[in-house]
Amino acid sequence: MTEKVLYEELCPAEFQERLQACPVAYLPLGTLEWHGPHLPLGADGIQSQELFMRAARRIGGIVLPKLFLGPDRFYRDPERELYGMDICTGGTIVPYEMQQLPGSAYWMPDEEYRRMILRIGANLSRAGFTILAAHGHGPSIRQFTALKEELRDTCGLIGVTAFDFVEDDRLRFQNDHAAANETSITMAVRPELVQLERIRDGGEHPVAVAGADPRTDASVEYGAEILEANVDALCRGIEQLLK
């Protein structure tokens, strides 16, 4: 029987047992966001949840439900709101016009996001957690990182991300947008959700994809390497904090 690590699946006694053994909460910072034509809209949360589930099964702790709201670049034109990869700011594989990309439905203002994270932190502190690990959507990670001191001072929580423990840029978890890194991770954890054929061999253009080209540089092996390096580093780092 697979070990239960998801918060919402635990009965109270199971929750108490896991909390007492390892008071770590893992928060996947997800979105519902365009990740090229080839990846699912929930790619951010799918990747980070899998990282955290593997860490929880190795050293303990409890994985929170995926968030789907997050901060990002924002621009309002006379007819609509544009945010995130709707706005082409360079660094993408192919140039594209600013546009509302299909499926993106996640943006919230920075201050509202910060208040939400602090409220989550207060709830987790009340429940008995002492460490909050969060990772996923890039702008969400940056906002979470900026709140570490406040989480400690107001909630008594130590905040960490996967970026705190892996310095090799090639192996940093989710360090691009829908390019070789994120595509490889998703291929390793949920291969049935990846449709590389959509952007290969003259198919759809890899619009709003930023980083190394997934058509040539993504692989299951690369994704597994990234995942294992980050699980190892995250577990070592959290174990040191618990000591």
Side-chain angles (χ1 to χ4, degrees):
M1 182 176 178
T2 303
E3 180 183 3
K4 291 197 293 184
V5 298
L6 295 175
Y7 203 127
E8 63 269 29
E9 294 183 356
L10 299 172
C11 294
E14 295 170 323
F15 170 84
Q16 283 293 105
E17 182 179 346
R18 293 197 67 85
L19 179 71
Q20 290 168 8
C22 183
V24 178
Y26 304 94
L27 178 60
L29 302 176
T31 51
L32 295 176
E33 177 187 9
W34 170 276
H35 276 76
H38 63 297
L39 290 182
L41 293 162
D44 281 331
I46 289 168
Q47 294 169 82
S48 56
Q49 184 184 64
E50 183 64 29
L51 169 69
F52 289 148
M53 289 179 69
R54 294 187 184 206
R57 287 182 176 134
R58 184 176 298 187
I59 64 168
I62 297 171
V63 182
L64 294 158
K66 297 189 289 285
L67 293 182
F68 76 91
L69 297 173
D72 217 323
R73 301 185 302 264
F74 180 81
Y75 172 80
R76 187 192 301 275
D77 72 14
E79 298 180 354
R80 58 192 171 172
E81 294 180 347
L82 300 172
Y83 49 77
M85 297 305 291
D86 293 347
I87 306 161
C88 183
T89 57
T92 55
I93 291 172
V94 297
Y96 62 97
E97 296 295 324
M98 187 163 65
Q99 59 187 284
Q100 183 175 333
L101 293 164
S104 291
Y106 67 93
W107 181 82
M108 68 186 306
D110 291 355
E111 187 54 39
E112 290 183 19
Y113 186 78
R114 288 191 288 267
R115 287 198 299 268
M116 180 176 68
I117 293 297
L118 290 172
R119 185 65 252 166
I120 290 171
N123 285 320
L124 294 174
S125 178
R126 174 184 180 274
F129 292 96
T130 61
I131 295 175
L132 174 57
H135 202 80
H137 178 57
S140 299
I141 295 172
R142 290 191 286 275
Q143 291 289 352
F144 178 84
T145 298
L147 285 171
K148 283 182 181 180
E149 185 174 345
E150 194 167 355
L151 282 167
R152 183 193 64 207
D153 293 345
T154 64
C155 306
L157 286 173
I158 299 172
V160 299
T161 77
F163 287 163
D164 295 336
F165 305 111
V166 173
E167 296 182 359
D168 183 346
D169 191 62
R170 178 177 170 274
L171 296 177
R172 280 163 68 84
F173 205 80
Q174 296 174 272
N175 73 348
D176 62 21
H177 184 81
N181 182 286
E182 285 201 313
T183 300
S184 296
I185 296 168
T186 312
M187 290 169 71
V189 302
R190 293 294 302 276
E192 75 279 9
L193 299 181
V194 181
Q195 300 180 37
L196 269 176
E197 65 275 9
R198 288 187 176 275
I199 56 173
R200 280 180 173 159
D201 304 323
E204 299 178 64
H205 294 296
V207 170
V209 173
D213 197 326
R215 294 171 294 186
T216 55
D217 296 342
S219 69
V220 173
E221 293 75 19
Y222 179 31
E225 183 184 7
I226 296 168
L227 190 62
E228 188 59 27
N230 280 271
V231 171
D232 286 346
L234 182 64
C235 289
R236 287 196 304 269
I238 288 174
E239 286 179 324
Q240 286 298 316
L241 290 172
L242 289 170
K243 290 178 181 178

